[in-house]
Amino acid sequence: MIQNRSEMLSRSECNVLRGIAIIGIFLHNYCHWLGPIVKENEYQYFQHNVDWLNQVMVNPDLNLPFHLISFFGHYGVPVFLFLSAYGLVLKYEAKPHLETSTQMFSITGKKLPNIGDALRFIRYHYLKLFKMMIVGFVAFTMLDYITPGPHHYQTLDIIAQLGMFNNVLPEPDHIIWPGPYWFFGLMLQLYIVYRLFLYRRHWGITVGMMVICIAIQLCLDPEGEPMNRYRYNFMGGMLPFGLGILYARYGEKILMTFHHNVANLCGVIFCCSLIYSLSGSMLGWTFVPALICLLCILLVKTLAGFSWLGCVFKTLEWMGGISAALFVCHPITRKIFIPISRHGDMYAGLLLYIVSSICLAWLFSQLMKKIPNPKMK
């Protein structure tokens, strides 16, 4: 049973979550390209990176914000996965079934997904992703080839990016360029998984898939290439995606804390300390995305609960409104301004990158509105 929307995350709160997530992502994708800055454990777990972070925390310097953003900023991705799953449930499961034609039945008499409707669903969401991706991809590739150090695309790399199946190719971190665009392939996979296996299904199927994906990950070499490829694909994002589905269906029954501002604030502090602690081990690192989603929800509820934080709430809400455009355009501004930071002016380069990225994202958002939206036919 899906809860009443007013008792869950409001539209404004969802935009604030998007704002928090995109700020983490676009700042991370600048900071982690700087040589002396701590590197993240995103697709693989490297104990060296954890030790490096602990060292700079014990002996902080002026670059401490760069270190923290580089190490933790990529966790904006699980927040987007959580929100995507949450939105899918509210959009499709609170309405009549998507199936409009004759259902197919198995030999047990149970309904099976109508292939035609499933394909229409997948086509619709592929086109939505493509509309967002193509604007940034075209602009980036043109800039990339007229600036120093262009990426050398292979024919298959381009086709795979446009088809959003580059995540499944060998060594995806060497062929996906710009790097953040791996997210499009991940989202397409999760849309397919949702429509074929999770849509209007028993909660146990969602939990079962989450458990299986986590169990397999725990069996992999944390620094190995199999772990890298595994986490580039839907299996690595199943935990936050599944939590988004479950929260949309049952969230208010589980998380009543959100009605108490002081409890929310204490929850934020507790989550921050737990995330830092769990990031120090392979087992704990596996479950950090779940805590990141909880942290961000608690943070949004805290911001919404204190009127004196209204300005921060509105700013993050606006950032959430341009999050899609900011995601696709920030690789462009990064390539232009990151040499400034690499040559020693760390904060000057970062500030120019932030201002330019936000302005360009606003322009991109206006351009993307001109592209016709796909229709579910």
Side-chain angles (χ1 to χ4, degrees):
M1 180 71 68
I2 300 174
Q3 305 296 307
N4 187 294
R5 178 66 182 262
S6 63
E7 297 175 345
M8 304 284 283
L9 292 168
S10 68
R11 184 179 297 273
S12 294
E13 288 169 341
C14 285
N15 270 337
V16 173
L17 278 170
R18 292 187 188 95
I20 294 171
I22 194 60
I23 288 172
I25 290 170
F26 102 100
L27 292 180
H28 158 79
N29 283 328
Y30 185 92
C31 294
H32 84 134
W33 276 89
L34 300 173
I37 301 303
V38 171
K39 301 303 180 284
E40 75 285 355
N41 288 335
E42 184 171 7
Y43 312 111
Q44 296 153 289
Y45 178 84
F46 296 98
Q47 186 62 44
H48 166 73
N49 291 344
V50 175
D51 297 339
W52 191 359
L53 176 67
N54 291 333
Q55 182 180 357
V56 300
M57 292 296 292
V58 172
N59 301 289
D61 57 22
L62 291 177
N63 291 330
L64 182 61
F66 286 86
H67 296 303
L68 293 174
I69 292 169
S70 175
F71 191 85
F72 291 107
H74 67 91
Y75 284 117
V77 171
V79 178
F80 274 125
L81 299 183
F82 176 92
L83 283 171
S84 296
Y86 177 81
L88 285 171
V89 171
L90 292 184
K91 182 175 182 180
Y92 295 112
E93 298 188 19
K95 296 180 179 180
H97 285 278
L98 291 173
E99 290 81 7
T100 57
S101 53
T102 303
Q103 292 281 353
M104 299 183 295
F105 290 82
S106 68
I107 58 175
T108 63
K110 295 184 178 180
K111 291 182 179 180
L112 297 174
N114 182 284
I115 299 302
D117 287 319
L119 290 176
R120 282 191 287 273
F121 176 91
I122 294 167
R123 170 188 172 275
Y124 170 73
H125 284 281
Y126 166 79
L127 291 175
K128 284 185 66 177
L129 290 170
F130 187 84
K131 169 187 172 180
M132 177 168 55
M133 178 197 72
I134 193 63
V135 176
F137 185 68
V138 169
F140 176 82
T141 51
M142 290 191 296
L143 172 77
D144 192 37
Y145 269 90
I146 62 174
T147 52
H151 179 73
H152 298 290
Y153 290 94
Q154 302 296 322
T155 301
L156 180 59
D157 302 347
I158 301 169
I159 295 172
Q161 181 63 65
L162 297 178
M164 301 180 201
F165 61 88
N166 44 11
N167 300 52
V168 302
L169 298 179
E171 298 184 343
D173 43 357
H174 293 154
I175 65 172
I176 300 175
W177 191 252
Y181 281 27
W182 74 280
F183 181 78
F184 294 106
L186 172 67
M187 276 311 309
L188 183 61
Q189 290 180 23
L190 287 169
Y191 284 137
I192 294 171
V193 168
Y194 170 77
R195 185 61 184 84
L196 295 182
F197 303 108
L198 306 178
Y199 168 66
R200 290 185 180 275
R201 300 294 181 88
H202 189 273
W203 62 266
I205 297 178
T206 301
V207 173
M209 289 193 68
M210 293 163 64
V211 170
I212 291 171
C213 290
I214 290 172
I216 295 174
Q217 178 175 308
L218 290 174
C219 295
L220 299 176
D221 177 5
E223 298 185 11
E225 181 58 23
M227 174 70 83
N228 188 46
R229 292 190 68 183
Y230 189 84
R231 287 177 61 85
Y232 257 100
N233 291 281
F234 81 89
M235 303 83 73
M238 196 61 224
L239 176 60
F241 190 79
L243 289 175
I245 292 174
L246 296 175
Y247 178 65
R249 294 174 181 168
Y250 315 109
E252 278 298 308
K253 294 181 179 179
I254 301 172
L255 301 171
M256 300 300 292
T257 309
F258 298 160
H259 299 299
H260 307 283
N261 295 337
V262 175
N264 291 339
L265 182 58
C266 292
V268 168
I269 298 170
F270 177 74
C271 280
C272 287
S273 61
L274 196 56
I275 287 167
Y276 186 90
S277 176
L278 291 179
S279 295
S281 70
M282 165 65 182
L283 179 62
W285 168 76
T286 302
F287 297 97
V288 165
L291 287 169
I292 289 290
C293 293
L294 176 59
L295 168 65
C296 290
I297 293 173
L298 289 169
L299 181 58
V300 168
K301 293 295 185 180
T302 301
L303 293 174
F306 292 103
S307 58
W308 56 276
L309 294 173
C311 181
V312 177
F313 187 93
K314 289 296 183 181
T315 300
L316 291 172
E317 183 181 2
W318 183 83
M319 287 292 293
I322 63 167
S323 59
L326 183 53
F327 181 83
V328 299
C329 80
H330 78 269
I332 300 171
T333 50
R334 179 184 65 187
K335 185 159 192 187
I336 295 172
F337 292 108
I338 201 167
I340 299 174
S341 293
R342 284 176 169 169
H343 293 153
D345 295 328
M346 300 282 282
Y347 282 96
L350 179 63
L351 183 58
L352 287 172
Y353 168 72
I354 292 172
V355 174
S356 301
S357 296
I358 293 174
C359 291
L360 187 61
W362 183 84
L363 293 173
F364 268 46
S365 67
Q366 303 307 306
L367 175 60
M368 291 163 65
K369 290 177 183 178
K370 303 297 183 181
I371 303 175
N373 290 317
K375 296 181 180 179
M376 184 86 76
K377 295 183 179 179

